Every structure is written in structure tokens, then in C-alpha cells.
Amino acid sequence: MADDVTKHLEAFSAELKRGNMRSFQIAKTTLLLMRRIISQTRWTNAGELLDRIREECKKLESAHPEETTIGNMIRRVMKAIRDEYRRALREESAKEETAAEKFERHLFSRLVQDDYNKSISSLKSSIIEYLNEEMLADIESSADHIAQQAVEHIHSDEVILTFGNSRTVASFLQRAARKRKFQVVVAESAPSFQGHDMAKTLSAAGINTLVISDAAVYAMMARVNTVIIGTHTILADGGLKALNGARAICLAAKQHSVPVIVCAAMFKFSSKLLCSYDQDTFNQVVSPHDVLHFSTDGRVSDVQILNPVFDYVPPDLITLFISNMGGNPPSYVYQLISEVYHTDDM
């Protein structure tokens, strides 16, 4: 059984290195891997299980530090294990306690720290049931729940600006287009030019779409009513780890007093913060070939070109986050994080 788990973990790691997985796929695959560990590895209590999952979390995060979704999902699973353990322990204790003992336990329960060392026979089945019925369903329906809120934020005859190729944003705009007529301006998102793919998707859905160069964003912003973007990660302070170019767009929006809405599922909310000295972990630098093509010209050989994938966008440039749990301002992110992660796992 352990060999089977190891094989799946290695296959997942190899797929991440190829860079072919989107955040949704990473979140779902991570959850399924954790479910496999819970069901197929040997453990006698919640403490042993938490140690095993924590160990796998460190391995995956050290191998792929740029993919914060992995750690986010594992921490949510660990929170679920803790919650299910407490629930099962309460149910088991309630069968044997007298009324006076129940009152005493309730009175001092917050002063006693859980050690998770008690063996509970029903714990494995209850955890797996929660992962299947709650967490897996939450991941699979997250984009639809976000899209359902579209008509509350997009109105007729508005001009919406977006960039990149977020499927969540595309679904959000497509849902709004069922009841509203509006125009979408898509920044091409050089050097990856993901905006071209987004424009094709929106145009195919019958949405009036205009593609502009990234350099034209500031000039176009005076005509824009709302900026709607996706992101790679939402950090604990309400800032973004987003596709390179997001910061420039958000700065232009602030200059023109245009609201910025970020659409992202809860599995993108991270308990991490950006450290100014830790750019190597935060960012990902890829080949500069897309910025400046290879040349035999001697003048180019002495030029150092950096092509970072991500931008940091501070929370003061964001107006609203729309997740599958509703809409919230950046100042409320800390509360959302405290609801889905346990403090001991952050």
C-alpha cells in the first residue's frame, strides 16, 4: 500500500515539473492524494496521521515552492482531520459521561490542548466521508459558485477589463453575458500572450471582445468601469501573487478610481506572506526567449534578461475578492484563512 502511495506522489510531482497542471487540477489531485494516504497507510490515531501528512506536505512544498495550492489543500485536510477527531471524541465521550461531567468538560474544554493520541475506530471513515462529500464537492463546484455572483457585479453597457487566461474569470464573464450586454477589453498579457486565448473564449461565447497591447492599458483605463482578474495565490495580507503585469493594471485602475475585482476559489487562499528577501521562493523566473529571441549579435551576449512569471499586488490596490464563499474585501482575508486552516498548521 505504501508503495502505491509513493508511486502516485512521484507521478504528481513529475506532472508539476512539466508545468501542465492548472490550479484546479493541482487542488483536486492533492486532495485525492491525501485521501489515498489516509485510506492506504497505517496509522492508529489522528496524531500519527497528522505527522505523516505534515511530512508529505514538506516534501511537496520544498520540491515545488511556487505552487502554494498544494500546501493550501494539505492544510485544509489537516484542519478536517482535527475537526473530525474532536467531533468523534465528543460523540464517544457523550455516551459515557454524566450530566455533571459534560458540564465540566464544556467549561474547561478550551483550556485543554488536544493531543490527538486517542485511537477512535470510526475516525478513518468519517474523515474520508468528509473529504468526499464536502471538500471534493467544494473544489468541483467552486467555479460555478463564483460565476453565480456575476450578475451582482456586472451591469449592462459596462466596459470590463481583464487579462491573462483564467478559466474562473472566463466562466464569470460568460455567466454575466446570459443576462447582460457588455464589452470586455483583454490585455494581451505579453510575453505569454494568454490574453489571446481568453479573447477567443469570450468571443466564442458571443461577448463583444477587444484585445489591446499591455502598453495601451493605462490609456484605455479611462473608459473602463471594472477590472476583473484572476490570480495564482491570495496571500494572508490580502495581496496577490498574480501573473506578471497584474500590478501595472491595478495601479492604472487605482489612478482612475476603477474598482478591481479578483475571482478566485478558496483553495487559492494562502496563509503565507511575501518576504521582500525571499523572491526566489515567491517568484518563478523562466527563459527570456519570449522577451528577446536568441541572437548571435555580440551586443546581446552581455545583457542579463529576467523574465519573472508573477507580480506581487498589494491589498490596497484590490477592491473585492469573489470566492465560492462570497464577496469579501482584502481586510477580511485573515478571517477567511482562520476559518479554513488551523493555527497549528500555518
Side-chain angles (χ1 to χ4, degrees):
M1 291 292 185
D3 291 339
D4 183 58
V5 170
T6 302
K7 182 181 69 175
H8 281 85
L9 285 169
E10 290 175 350
F12 178 48
S13 184
E15 194 66 25
L16 286 170
K17 288 179 180 177
R18 296 190 192 100
N20 298 327
M21 300 184 75
R22 301 179 75 96
S23 295
F24 168 80
Q25 296 170 306
I26 293 172
K28 186 175 180 179
T29 305
T30 302
L31 179 60
L32 295 177
L33 279 171
M34 293 304 104
R35 188 181 67 180
R36 188 178 294 274
I37 289 173
I38 293 167
S39 62
Q40 295 186 4
T41 58
R42 304 184 73 175
W43 49 275
T44 57
N45 54 57
E48 291 181 6
L49 179 59
L50 288 169
D51 289 340
R52 175 62 196 273
I53 289 180
R54 193 177 292 112
E55 181 184 344
E56 296 300 337
C57 181
K58 288 179 181 178
K59 290 179 182 177
L60 288 170
E61 284 191 315
S62 62
H64 310 282
E66 73 284 353
E67 293 297 348
T68 52
T69 300
I70 297 172
N72 297 343
M73 286 309 305
I74 293 177
R75 289 178 182 87
R76 287 189 67 180
V77 170
M78 294 173 73
K79 173 74 159 50
I81 293 170
R82 295 176 189 275
D83 291 345
E84 288 301 309
Y85 173 82
R86 291 195 192 97
R87 186 188 61 78
L89 193 62
R90 284 197 302 269
E91 290 179 355
E92 193 172 274
S93 301
K95 297 176 183 177
E96 305 170 356
E97 287 179 336
T98 64
E101 288 172 335
K102 287 181 181 179
F103 176 75
E104 184 179 354
R105 177 174 56 81
H106 177 74
L107 189 63
F108 295 103
S109 60
R110 294 187 179 183
L111 302 177
V112 179
Q113 186 174 4
D114 292 317
D115 56 13
Y116 303 101
N117 289 329
K118 185 172 182 179
S119 179
I120 301 175
S121 58
S122 63
L123 184 59
K124 178 182 286 189
S125 59
S126 64
I127 293 172
I128 292 174
E129 182 180 355
Y130 181 83
L131 297 188
N132 289 336
E133 296 183 2
E134 297 292 336
M135 292 187 65
L136 189 59
D138 180 63
I139 292 173
E140 292 176 339
S141 62
S142 57
D144 186 59
H145 286 163
I146 292 170
Q148 289 174 7
Q149 304 171 62
V151 292
E152 300 173 16
H153 303 280
I154 297 176
H155 305 93
S156 297
D157 300 321
E158 284 191 337
V159 177
I160 309 298
L161 187 141
T162 188
F163 91 124
N165 186 28
S166 167
R167 292 184 182 181
T168 303
V169 172
S171 176
F172 189 83
L173 295 171
Q174 288 168 344
R175 183 66 65 91
R178 296 180 186 179
K179 297 184 178 180
R180 308 274 194 269
K181 285 195 175 295
F182 53 90
Q183 183 182 34
V184 178
V185 178
V186 184
E188 62 182 1
S189 316
S192 64
F193 298 104
Q194 294 182 22
H196 292 181
D197 296 325
M198 170 67 90
K200 290 177 183 177
T201 301
L202 298 179
S203 181
I207 299 174
N208 182 9
T209 308
L210 172 67
V211 180
I212 63 172
S213 69
D214 297 329
V217 165
Y218 188 86
M220 179 63 71
M221 194 62 72
R223 295 181 50 199
V224 172
N225 298 103
T226 309
V227 173
I228 302 176
I229 61 175
T231 185
H232 181 274
T233 304
I234 297 173
L235 301 171
D237 64 347
L240 303 182
K241 177 182 177 180
L243 185 67
N244 193 11
R247 187 184 181 105
I249 289 175
C250 292
L251 283 169
K254 184 175 183 179
Q255 182 68 25
H256 288 82
S257 300
V258 175
V260 175
I261 295 176
V262 180
C263 297
M266 283 304 301
F267 56 74
K268 292 190 176 185
F269 283 71
S270 173
S271 59
K272 294 184 176 181
L273 293 165
L274 169 65
C275 297
S276 59
Y277 58 84
D278 196 21
Q279 280 293 317
D280 290 338
T281 300
F282 172 81
N283 220 324
Q284 183 180 1
V285 179
V286 296
S287 169
H289 180 267
D290 293 331
V291 179
L292 184 64
H293 293 287
F294 176 77
S295 173
T296 56
D297 192 332
R299 291 175 296 179
V300 178
S301 62
D302 296 328
V303 177
Q304 183 181 16
I305 302 170
L306 297 178
N307 184 15
V309 176
F310 302 114
D311 258 351
Y312 170 70
V313 182
D316 60 296
L317 299 182
I318 308 301
T319 307
L320 187 70
F321 290 112
I322 299 178
S323 70
N324 39 311
M325 292 179 68
N328 296 283
S331 59
Y332 196 74
V333 168
Y334 78 95
Q335 180 64 33
L336 293 174
I337 289 174
S338 68
E339 291 175 5
V340 295
Y341 305 131
H342 193 275
T343 52
D344 291 344
D345 302 326
M346 294 185 190

